[in-house]
Amino acid sequence: MRCFFFIFEAKANDHKMFRPYFFLILTLFYCFSAQAQQPKKPTSSEIYQAIEKLNFLGSVLYLAAHPDDENTRLISHMANAVKARTAYLSLTRGDGGQNLIGPELRELLGVIRTQELVAARKIDGGEQLFTRANDFGYSKHPDETLAIWNKNEVLSDVVWAIRKFQPDVIINRFDHRSPGTTHGHHTSSAMLSVEAFDMAADKTKFPNQLKSVDVWQPRREFFNTSWWFYGSKEKFDAADKTNQFAIDVGAFYPALGLSNPEIAALSRSSHKSQGFGNTGTRGNDFEYLELIKGDLPKDKNNIFEGIDTSWNRVKDGKPIGDLLHKIQESYDFTNPSGSIPKLVEAYRLIQNLESSHWKTIKSEDLKNIIAACAGLYLEVAAESNTATPNSTIKLNLEAINRSPQKMTLTSIVLSGGTMVKENTDLKFNESHRFNSPLNIPSDASCSSPYWLNSKGTLGMYRVDDQRLNGLPETPKTITATFNVLINGEILSYSRPVIYKINDPVKGEYYKPFEIVPEVAAHISEPVIIFADEESKDIQVVVKAYRNNLDGFVQLAHPRGWEIYPEKQNVNILHKGEEQTLIFKVTPPKDQSEGLMTPMVHIGKEVYTKKLVEINYGHIPFQLVLLPSESKVVRLNIHKKGENIGYIEGAGDVVPESLRQIGYHVAIIKPEDINAETLSRFDAIVLGIRAYNTVDALKFKQKLLFDFVEQGGNLIVQYNTTGGMVVDELAPYPLELSRDRVTDENAEVTLLNTNSALLNYPNKITLNDFDGWVQERGLYFPDKWSKEFTPVLSMHDQGESPKKGSLLVAKYGKGHYIYTGLSFFREFPEGVAGAYRLFANMLSIGKETINSNQSLKN
């Protein structure tokens, strides 16, 4: 199958107290097989802790709804202190959140937050799992959540995760008994977990899964409660704690100079897109667990009490456990390779066991520990970070044994079957480097997050391959397998092909190796607004991923739109070069909207998708394959005023959107806010959450109010109730609440039909609220002074009317407008009514009042 797409640049155990404390162990998968970043080279202390974990055969599954819902203190404690295999199951990837670091929203934000979770687990020692549930935005009740998600499908994914991970203990972040009191996704996650607890052991439930996994019954399930769920510390202290455990997760690890909460804070700080930078604490730190399913342990200091977590739980496993204990006892921190012979013996014993869950897990762990003890470094790097199907690329391979342990590289086999090297002695600290061509199959799949390969629904991703379901990332298929003979046992190590360079600033810099098409292209703007009948020049940027590219480009477009020329040739000589084509697009006379797609014809192939690049320093470089669909909108829109000043908040595309309809928009840096600068503009707009994120506004607020008083318009978009940097949000009393309307189709009532905001220069009707996405708005004010006039009323089903979504007040000669409407979500989707309403907000005060009409504010 060919690739069609376009591209945007865009304590130790109690009996071992005499041992040093060496925790903060990364999961072995990421320690030894990092895919896209510089590979981890474990220290001897990390290797020792990995050996310790070999002797603990118990698992914990922590479960919640979103990235950043997880309790990193508890996950770190379970993974590093208890040494249990620990995973976080996040039902969603966080697509419905907001983004403090860039403009990405929806599925692109979900990709970022997925990688932030992966990064968090690398720090706290856990593993990461998902379901197919899509974070469609805030939900007030699990009934709504489960209807949109498709309860049965998400439930099947939770059952799949339990059967595959086989946890002895499940811990829910949220309370399944409290529907309607918190985010519907939160409560739903706990409800599904409780239902799946017994269902996972029932062969009649989701029987198709049993082709790949066995049924599994967890021993017990807990709710990770706290005083917050009780409403106050006093109520929590007075509660019946018969079924509760208090676990001290505040241990200090001297070898690291860090407490467990400090490690957890580093993990939580991985959620940079959500602004969750966290400062760790020191001292005792308790987490509380309430038993909700299974038997109550007698020892409330041990949630695994009564569960055999030794090798005795595996048939014929006792000799393995005994041997591993001896290895642990005799481990030499100055010479980890001294443990290799007995580690290989333990590996061999495990291979003689009957097939089982723990056999598979511990075999991989042992292989990686043996490699770490030997300082065995195996790498395969491509000369470029991309290659196309049916092409050949040069590989550079390296193998080095940095220990006195004798070993032989018996072979290196590429994923296509090509043999690179055979029977090479890996002598102590002698580097062996090889070159090989890599042939990329003509049917190679394009690199992209697997859950975005097919179109899903509002609430569900579509994943056709059950084997992929739940994985955090798409497995790399272009690999090299190094087969190494150690002490009579051949151990196979698979390494993904990577790309690395020497960056002048960063030094050794890694990127993933990706499969891309021969050509990629994109329209420069995802949404193009036509405010009148005038034609616009639209840029299509074409980039070649092979030499000597010849073809032509056409634009698929809605009926009634005209494109000139009909097609244009593209001729690119060298891989990596671009060619920009200009098409003149003329809209119809009447209001219209639709999708416009570039079609790049290369031979018999037509490429009609796009590939978005996501490049942030805290996560690996990402390529995201999506349909190439730029929305074109012909608006019947009028506007007054030309020059708009924009003060950026947490990140949105409102400035670009306003430029689309003809405004001159200048970004004003907080330090440049002064009376002279402000006087140049007809209106000033504050970006979303500006008063939460821009500290300098605390000292600039009076200047903004003065601007209004002297005749300017100030539009303040939504802020949250916590962490405000100003004492006075508006020139008159105004209080924010957590009121929000999550139903994007919720009925809207026009409260003040004479308001200029509904009449000038565009007549706003209820039709302008059709086609909104994700929500109406959020964090509406619920209290305001008499100077404010509410313009709209709306509410979710079963709730009282919310009148604070759009408030306007005359102040001096100008106007102050506060709005919680989600323009930052509507503009990128080309919602016509949102543009028309915002134009009215910018135009207020500029209307002509004659004797026949009086527009009130």
Side-chain angles (χ1 to χ4, degrees):
M1 181 176 67
R2 299 302 300 272
C3 312
F4 299 148
F5 57 90
F6 296 65
I7 188 164
F8 285 116
E9 301 290 353
K11 215 175 236 173
N13 293 335
D14 291 342
H15 68 285
K16 296 290 294 178
M17 288 296 289
F18 61 90
R19 290 285 189 182
Y21 288 88
F22 296 107
F23 302 113
L24 189 56
I25 305 305
L26 309 181
T27 59
L28 288 173
F29 178 83
Y30 291 108
C31 273
F32 306 116
S33 59
Q35 289 188 0
Q37 302 177 76
Q38 187 170 358
K40 174 70 177 177
K41 304 175 182 71
T43 65
S44 63
S45 60
E46 291 175 326
I47 295 169
Y48 173 74
Q49 294 304 312
I51 291 173
E52 276 197 321
K53 296 185 84 168
L54 286 173
N55 264 324
F56 193 96
L57 278 66
S59 300
V60 177
L61 181 65
Y62 198 91
L63 192 149
H66 310 107
D68 72 46
D69 282 344
E70 81 274 27
N71 186 332
T72 55
R73 294 184 302 275
L74 201 51
I75 290 175
S76 178
H77 173 80
M78 292 297 171
N80 299 312
V82 179
K83 297 182 174 58
R85 183 173 180 238
T86 307
Y88 173 45
L89 175 58
S90 176
L91 267 57
T92 76
R93 296 176 185 266
D95 299 51
Q98 290 141 42
N99 188 357
L100 296 184
I101 62 173
E104 296 88 356
L105 293 173
R106 295 305 307 154
E107 64 272 1
L108 296 181
L109 178 59
V111 172
I112 293 172
R113 298 187 72 184
T114 292
Q115 289 300 319
E116 289 178 338
L117 272 180
V118 171
R121 299 294 80 77
K122 290 179 183 180
I123 294 170
D124 59 36
E127 301 175 38
Q128 187 59 52
L129 304 172
F130 291 95
T131 75
R132 290 169 294 162
N134 193 340
D135 179 7
F136 56 85
Y138 191 87
S139 175
K140 294 180 178 178
H141 199 280
D143 288 350
E144 177 194 34
T145 298
L146 295 174
I148 295 175
W149 272 355
N150 187 330
K151 175 187 175 182
N152 192 63
E153 291 299 304
V154 182
L155 180 59
S156 76
D157 288 355
V158 178
V159 170
W160 169 259
I162 294 172
R163 287 173 172 172
K164 190 174 181 181
F165 190 74
Q166 295 190 10
D168 299 297
V169 176
I170 297 176
I171 302 175
N172 298 330
R173 185 68 184 104
F174 299 105
D175 189 355
H176 65 288
R177 300 158 296 194
S178 57
T181 61
T182 183
H183 196 324
H185 297 183
H186 292 170
T187 309
S188 294
S189 70
M191 293 169 64
L192 292 170
S193 177
V194 170
E195 191 169 349
F197 181 85
D198 294 314
M199 193 175 286
D202 188 341
K203 291 184 177 181
T204 67
K205 306 300 183 183
F206 310 111
N208 287 338
Q209 295 181 2
L210 302 182
K211 299 173 184 177
S212 304
V213 294
D214 295 324
V215 294
W216 180 254
Q217 179 60 68
R219 182 69 173 267
R220 47 185 71 110
E221 184 169 24
F222 296 94
F223 160 44
N224 183 194
T225 189
S226 71
W227 68 263
W228 187 87
F229 291 98
Y230 285 77
S232 69
K233 292 181 179 180
E234 292 75 18
K235 291 181 179 179
F236 180 64
D237 291 340
D240 179 8
K241 294 185 174 58
T242 303
N243 288 342
Q244 284 190 17
F245 292 66
I247 300 177
D248 187 356
V249 297
F252 172 64
Y253 307 141
L256 298 173
L258 292 171
S259 67
N260 190 74
E262 287 173 320
I263 294 169
L266 292 172
S267 173
R268 187 149 185 83
S269 296
S270 298
H271 298 295
K272 298 186 186 303
S273 68
Q274 305 307 295
F276 280 157
N278 198 263
T279 300
T281 61
R282 290 143 294 279
N284 295 336
D285 192 355
F286 287 90
E287 289 293 335
Y288 298 90
L289 301 180
E290 177 188 351
L291 182 74
I292 55 176
K293 283 239 180 188
D295 60 318
L296 183 68
K298 298 177 182 178
D299 180 1
K300 289 197 172 184
N301 293 313
N302 179 15
I303 66 170
F304 284 96
E305 191 266 338
I307 301 171
D308 190 350
T309 58
S310 73
W311 276 95
N312 292 329
R313 80 183 294 173
V314 176
K315 183 181 178 182
D316 299 324
K318 186 178 185 303
I320 300 169
D322 293 340
L323 177 57
L324 290 173
H325 276 296
K326 291 177 182 178
I327 294 171
Q328 184 178 324
E329 292 287 342
S330 61
Y331 181 77
D332 185 349
F333 284 88
T334 64
N335 181 29
S337 65
S339 298
I340 291 177
K342 290 193 177 299
L343 286 168
V344 173
E345 182 182 346
Y347 177 84
R348 188 178 294 115
L349 288 174
I350 290 177
Q351 304 320 298
N352 294 329
L353 296 175
E354 295 178 359
S355 180
S356 71
H357 174 74
W358 286 110
K359 175 183 177 180
T360 301
I361 292 170
K362 297 301 183 181
S363 292
E364 287 301 307
D365 290 351
L366 263 168
K367 283 199 315 182
N368 291 325
I369 290 170
I370 292 167
C373 286
L376 180 61
Y377 188 84
L378 307 170
E379 183 179 84
V380 52
E383 63 182 352
S384 171
N385 71 310
T386 63
T388 61
N390 197 31
S391 67
T392 300
I393 193 166
K394 180 183 176 182
L395 297 180
N396 299 308
L397 301 96
E398 180 182 2
I400 182 170
N401 166 28
R402 291 172 288 184
S403 77
Q405 172 66 47
K406 291 184 178 181
M407 60 181 68
T408 301
L409 180 62
T410 62
S411 64
I412 305 175
V413 183
L414 302 183
S415 50
T418 301
M419 185 80 70
V420 176
K421 192 70 178 177
E422 295 182 86
N423 297 323
T424 301
D425 288 337
L426 298 181
K427 297 179 180 179
F428 175 52
N429 214 31
E430 183 177 304
S431 179
H432 297 269
R433 297 176 183 273
F434 317 100
N435 296 322
S436 175
L438 172 67
N439 297 317
I440 307 298
S442 59
D443 61 350
S445 298
C446 298
S447 302
S448 186
Y450 69 88
W451 61 94
L452 298 177
N453 285 340
S454 301
K455 185 175 179 60
T457 64
L458 174 64
M460 295 290 294
Y461 295 117
R462 177 180 169 183
V463 179
D464 296 324
D465 188 344
Q466 180 67 44
R467 295 170 300 176
L468 295 175
N469 200 1
L471 297 180
E473 302 171 282
T474 306
K476 298 297 182 181
T477 57
I478 308 298
T479 62
T481 299
F482 296 77
N483 298 304
V484 185
L485 178 65
I486 306 176
N487 265 43
E489 194 75 25
I490 293 181
L491 305 180
S492 297
Y493 296 94
S494 178
R495 294 291 184 264
V497 176
I498 53 88
Y499 171 72
K500 69 176 183 179
I501 59 172
N502 182 64
D503 184 272
V505 176
K506 301 175 183 177
E508 190 175 53
Y509 178 66
Y510 282 71
K511 292 178 74 172
F513 173 73
E514 310 286 12
I515 305 300
V516 298
E518 295 181 329
V519 62
H522 69 275
I523 296 176
S524 57
E525 298 292 340
V527 176
I528 305 170
I529 306 296
F530 292 76
D532 50 38
E533 300 177 35
E534 294 298 317
S535 300
K536 286 188 177 184
D537 288 341
I538 291 180
Q539 291 186 343
V540 176
V541 181
V542 182
K543 186 172 183 177
Y545 282 90
R546 66 166 174 84
N547 294 329
N548 300 314
L549 189 83
D550 291 294
F552 65 91
V553 179
Q554 291 178 303
L555 289 180
H557 56 85
R559 182 174 298 176
W561 294 68
E562 297 180 3
I563 310 295
Y564 180 83
E566 181 181 344
K567 65 180 181 180
Q568 296 192 58
N569 292 333
V570 59
N571 306 103
I572 302 177
L573 291 178
H574 302 110
K575 175 181 177 179
E577 290 186 346
E578 294 180 348
Q579 182 177 343
T580 300
L581 307 175
I582 306 297
F583 288 88
K584 184 178 292 292
V585 177
T586 304
K589 294 182 179 181
D590 297 325
Q591 187 157 312
S592 171
E593 63 182 56
L595 299 175
M596 189 168 291
T597 298
M599 300 186 299
V600 184
H601 298 255
I602 305 296
K604 296 181 180 180
E605 300 289 350
V606 182
Y607 297 84
T608 59
K609 292 189 178 181
K610 65 185 177 185
L611 190 68
V612 181
E613 296 184 1
I614 299 177
N615 193 8
Y616 291 102
H618 69 296
I619 60 174
F621 180 87
Q622 299 292 303
L623 293 177
V624 185
L625 182 69
L626 293 172
S628 184
E629 298 175 340
S630 288
K631 188 172 184 179
V632 288
V633 181
R634 165 67 171 100
L635 280 180
N636 289 323
I637 189 171
H638 304 280
K639 59 185 179 63
K640 292 294 182 180
E642 297 293 333
N643 299 313
I644 308 301
Y646 199 90
I647 301 170
E648 294 180 304
D652 58 56
V653 296
V654 171
E656 293 87 346
S657 300
L658 295 180
R659 293 185 184 111
Q660 289 264 8
I661 57 175
Y663 283 105
H664 302 294
V665 182
I667 303 299
I668 304 175
K669 295 181 179 180
E671 60 268 25
D672 295 333
I673 298 174
N674 56 57
E676 180 182 354
T677 298
L678 297 178
S679 67
R680 303 170 188 166
F681 299 102
D682 298 299
I684 301 295
V685 181
L686 269 70
I688 60 174
R689 297 181 63 185
Y691 286 131
N692 299 123
T693 60
V694 184
D695 291 337
L697 289 178
K698 178 178 182 179
F699 309 104
K700 303 292 185 176
Q701 187 75 319
K702 185 179 186 304
L703 290 169
L704 293 173
F705 291 165
D706 289 345
F707 166 75
V708 179
E709 190 173 27
Q710 293 166 15
N713 293 336
L714 179 64
I715 299 173
V716 179
Q717 297 180 85
Y718 98 95
N719 292 268
T720 62
T721 54
M724 296 281 288
V725 301
V726 294
D727 296 325
E728 296 178 346
L729 184 63
Y732 305 116
L734 178 70
E735 295 183 22
L736 300 183
S737 73
R738 297 182 65 86
D739 288 348
R740 61 198 304 164
V741 177
T742 62
D743 182 358
E744 63 270 33
N745 298 311
E747 182 180 355
V748 175
T749 301
L750 308 180
L751 292 177
N752 186 351
T753 57
N754 290 325
S755 171
L757 295 183
L758 299 178
N759 290 278
Y760 185 83
N762 303 288
K763 180 67 175 180
I764 300 300
T765 70
L766 295 180
N767 292 334
D768 287 295
F769 295 93
D770 292 341
W772 285 50
V773 298
Q774 188 161 332
E775 62 195 355
R776 290 296 190 194
L778 62 171
Y779 289 95
F780 296 163
D782 63 346
K783 295 179 182 178
W784 52 84
S785 67
K786 61 180 176 58
E787 286 83 3
F788 284 101
T789 300
V791 178
L792 305 172
S793 176
M794 57 190 69
H795 61 90
D796 284 322
Q797 185 175 0
E799 294 191 352
S800 60
K802 305 294 185 287
K803 299 181 179 181
S805 64
L806 181 58
L807 302 172
V808 58
K810 187 75 183 295
Y811 181 66
K813 300 177 182 179
H815 297 81
Y816 175 98
I817 297 173
Y818 188 91
T819 180
L821 294 171
S822 57
F823 291 102
F824 72 102
R825 295 198 190 280
E826 312 315 316
F827 284 175
E829 299 296 328
V831 178
Y835 280 92
R836 286 162 45 81
L837 179 57
F838 209 94
N840 283 11
M841 292 159 56
L842 293 170
S843 303
I844 193 170
K846 298 174 174 61
E847 62 272 21
T848 300
I849 302 176
N850 56 41
S851 58
N852 298 321
Q853 184 180 24
S854 176
L855 298 178
K856 299 180 179 180
N857 298 329

